[in-house]
Amino acid sequence: MGKTLPAGLRVELVDPGTSTTTTVGDSSGPRAAGETGEAGGNARLAAAAEPIASPSPGTTPAETPGATASPTESTPSASASPAPSTSAPASPAPSTTPGGATEKPRLKMSAVTAPKPAMVSRAGWAADESLVKAPPTYDTTVKAAFVHHSATGNSYTCAEAPSVVRSVFLYHVQGQGWDDIGYNFLVDKCGTVYEGRAGGADRAVHGAHTYGFNTDTTGITVLGTYTAANDASTPGVAPSQASLDAVAKVAAWKLGLSGVDPAAKTVLTSAAPNGTGGKYPYGQEVQLNTISGHRDGFATACPGEQLFAKLGAIRAAAKEVTSPALAATVTGAELVGGRYYTRTTATVGWQPEESATYEVLVNGVVAAKPAAGASSATLTLAQGTHAVKLRATVGGAIAESPVFTVVADTTKPVFSTPPEMYFNRGTTELGSVPIFIKWKATDASPLKSIGATSPAVRTFPPSTTQWVGRAKPARTWTWNLNATDILGNVGTGSVSRSAYLVSEFSAKRSSGWKKSGTKSYLGGAGLYSGTRGASATFTCTCRQVGLIFKTASNLGGVYVYVDGKKIGLLNTYSAKTLYRQLIWRKVWSGSGKHTVKVVVAGTSGRPLIGLDGLAYAR
């Protein structure tokens, strides 16, 4: 008591809600189409065919300090891979042991895999998807997992854990301004795993968890505070064995999707710009454990002394649940975010070994039994998402490759929200009205681009959902759009609208209005009034209207009525004097006859308003 609070201290109060629904099972798939990502033909599952500790190619651009709403670590392009060899390489003669016995043939294993743990989906912990600010973005692979603690205390019960997850989500989105929850996975002290950031638990979703090293990594947080027990400010507890086991399982599975050994090391490149608080200089290559703590990549106490001390045990436990994986490649498909996309076919390739027989499985069913010595098999896939893997048998032993997720897609993208024209806030001219076109395009495959063919030719990034422009009044305009996915499938959408301007002098007016001859008004004149209750009523057959005013520091408010119903008070104040400003709009689902009335509110000290007309569209 009596102590001075630190400067800049603030308290974030988060209401996580009361739902305790926890549905355990596979997490749902991607929740937004149009995600950005790299596309590379003849791509391969990098970690399944390359050394575990190989560094990322090239460098990565700067990352926004604080891992805020849209971390700007780039997504590296998927490298092209040569097509599988069509002939079997020469096999060396079987070696002999010192005792003279012939050694049995062994299959080449270049990666590891692990089973997927049970998991509570975002729907299961009641994530409010309406709060997510942007669709997920994807990396090429997952090379490492960073372990965190949420620092949210340890008094929660197992039943309360979903509400703790929601509180972390709300804090990241509403308190920090991020696009979504920063972690890819969360684990409670009872050993339950929760899906974190949206976009697909099995995919390389780009998170916001370890500043400088968000690219090609995943973030796993344990709910609770695990600092040292004698920490003077925030004493923590030892993590439960259930939580340690769960972290090991989810890390082994997630890394195994990219063929990464959870007990190995890898090289990551720091993407934190110099001077922004990163632990390592921008562009520095850093060797890290494939399961590391937050503090290994960033200057922080996270994940707390007592959890950090258990990382070695977590790596050992993760290693125990992994098994060797057969080396294989997928070509003839586009690799984006850990999934392969093709119109109809994909080729699985391998290096054949003497005495081995091979099978290619699609969704657990044998789809191809290549002849002896074959090094590839081309699959024709039905529309949809498929689990593809290679199985080899030699000397009674069976080995399998990691599972490749391959999406076959011949459908056109669709505009799930059809293009529509809306009036935009801004300056209106006699020859043009501020507008924007809004839409949402979706597809089974990632979108490559959004294009406009009329009234102008434009190309937009795939995540774009609006086009800001202007429309000339008293004529019909048609905006034609196309959405192209990474496979070349094209969907189209369009909207045709006509915009009109109505002079304020054509409105039905009560007494109390005066004409202003100021040339800055539309048409060189406008109406103004400081008489409380003075009204002006416009009538139009329309589907959208926009009110146009002068705004200035000495101007006040007007009440707006639509079809006889009071909508609210509209303030025409602005620090800078601006004429011809469209500052309010109303939209209907279809065209019809409507009335819009403005009534001078008589704002104290600022009773005047300057009316300059109405824009409407149909």
Side-chain angles (χ1 to χ4, degrees), residues 38 133 135 159 174 187 221 236 269 327 388 420 576-577 599 611:
E38 68 296 328
K133 299 176 182 178
Q174 297 181 328
V187 172
T221 193
T269 302
V388 177
E420 183 57 83
K576 183 179 179 181
T577 299
V599 178
L611 181 62

Side-chain angles (χ1 to χ4, degrees), residues 188-589:
D188 66 24
K189 63 184 179 182
C190 307
T192 303
V193 179
Y194 301 85
E195 178 188 11
R197 178 161 285 213
D202 63 330
R203 305 185 67 184
V205 178
H206 189 95
H209 51 84
T210 306
Y211 181 53
F213 297 101
N214 285 318
T215 297
D216 292 343
T217 66
T218 195
I220 306 168
T221 193
V222 182
L223 300 179
T225 303
Y226 302 104
T227 50
N230 60 355
D231 189 300
S233 58
T234 54
V237 301
S240 68
Q241 188 60 48
S243 67
L244 298 177
D245 291 343
V247 171
K249 290 176 183 178
V250 73
W253 168 72
K254 186 65 177 179
L255 292 171
L257 293 175
S258 299
V260 174
D261 185 341
K265 293 185 181 294
T266 190
V267 175
L268 302 175
T269 302
S270 173
N274 294 336
T276 59
K279 183 174 180 178
Y280 297 98
Y282 173 76
Q284 179 175 327
E285 291 186 342
V286 183
Q287 187 180 60
L288 296 164
N289 291 302
T290 54
I291 298 179
S292 289
H294 186 187
R295 66 173 65 178
D296 291 318
F298 185 69
T300 176
C302 182
E305 291 292 339
Q306 299 192 71
L307 179 54
F308 186 75
K310 295 293 185 179
L311 291 184
I314 289 174
R315 294 183 197 107
K319 182 69 174 178
E320 286 184 4
V321 299
T322 63
S323 57
L326 184 67
T329 61
V330 171
T331 58
E334 302 284 349
L335 174 61
V336 179
R339 291 188 174 188
Y340 293 86
Y341 295 86
T342 179
R343 291 180 66 87
T344 54
T345 64
T347 299
V348 178
W350 61 91
Q351 291 185 353
E353 300 201 24
E354 187 178 5
S355 302
T357 58
Y358 294 87
E359 297 173 317
V360 180
L361 286 75
V362 177
N363 302 324
V365 178
V366 176
K369 291 185 176 182
S375 60
S376 66
T378 298
L379 306 170
T380 299
L381 300 169
Q383 183 82 13
T385 301
H386 306 280
V388 177
K389 66 180 176 181
L390 177 67
R391 175 187 292 166
T393 305
V394 61
I398 296 177
E400 296 182 339
S401 72
V403 175
F404 302 91
T405 301
V406 183
V407 180
D409 178 23
T410 58
T411 62
K412 299 176 181 179
V414 298
F415 284 88
S416 53
T417 300
E420 183 57 83
M421 186 209 81
Y422 298 96
F423 288 129
N424 200 8
R425 292 176 64 96
T427 304
T428 304
E429 307 291 351
L430 287 177
S432 68
V433 181
I435 58 96
F436 65 95
I437 310 301
K438 187 175 182 179
W439 66 85
K440 183 177 181 181
T442 58
D443 190 57
S445 301
L447 293 176
K448 181 179 181 180
S449 65
I450 302 291
T453 58
S454 68
V457 177
R458 295 283 190 276
T459 300
F460 305 105
S463 59
T464 306
T465 58
Q466 66 178 32
W467 177 13
V468 178
R470 303 184 73 85
K472 187 175 182 179
R475 60 168 292 185
T476 300
W477 293 91
T478 299
W479 289 268
N480 290 318
L481 299 172
N482 55 56
T484 305
D485 66 21
I486 61 172
L487 302 176
N489 301 310
V490 181
T492 60
S494 67
V495 60
S496 296
R497 295 286 177 256
S498 302
Y500 301 88
L501 289 175
V502 177
S503 168
E504 63 276 25
F505 294 100
S506 65
K508 183 178 179 180
R509 306 186 302 277
S510 67
S511 60
W513 294 92
K514 297 181 180 180
K515 179 180 179 180
S516 171
T518 304
K519 301 300 182 183
S520 296
Y521 282 99
L522 285 172
L527 289 174
Y528 70 93
S529 176
T531 303
R532 184 175 183 177
S535 65
T537 303
F538 298 91
T539 301
C540 66
T541 300
C542 49
R543 63 185 305 128
Q544 184 177 174
V545 293
L547 286 169
I548 305 168
F549 292 91
K550 171 187 175 182
T551 63
S553 60
N554 67 325
L555 300 182
V558 293
Y559 294 108
V560 179
Y561 295 77
V562 175
D563 297 332
K565 182 179 179 180
K566 186 176 182 180
I567 300 298
L569 178 66
L570 178 64
N571 191 2
T572 67
Y573 168 89
S574 67
K576 183 179 179 181
T577 299
L578 300 170
Y579 289 88
R580 311 180 304 283
Q581 296 301 297
L582 195 158
I583 61 173
W584 177 88
R585 73 169 190 230
K586 170 68 177 177
V587 180
W588 294 272
S589 59

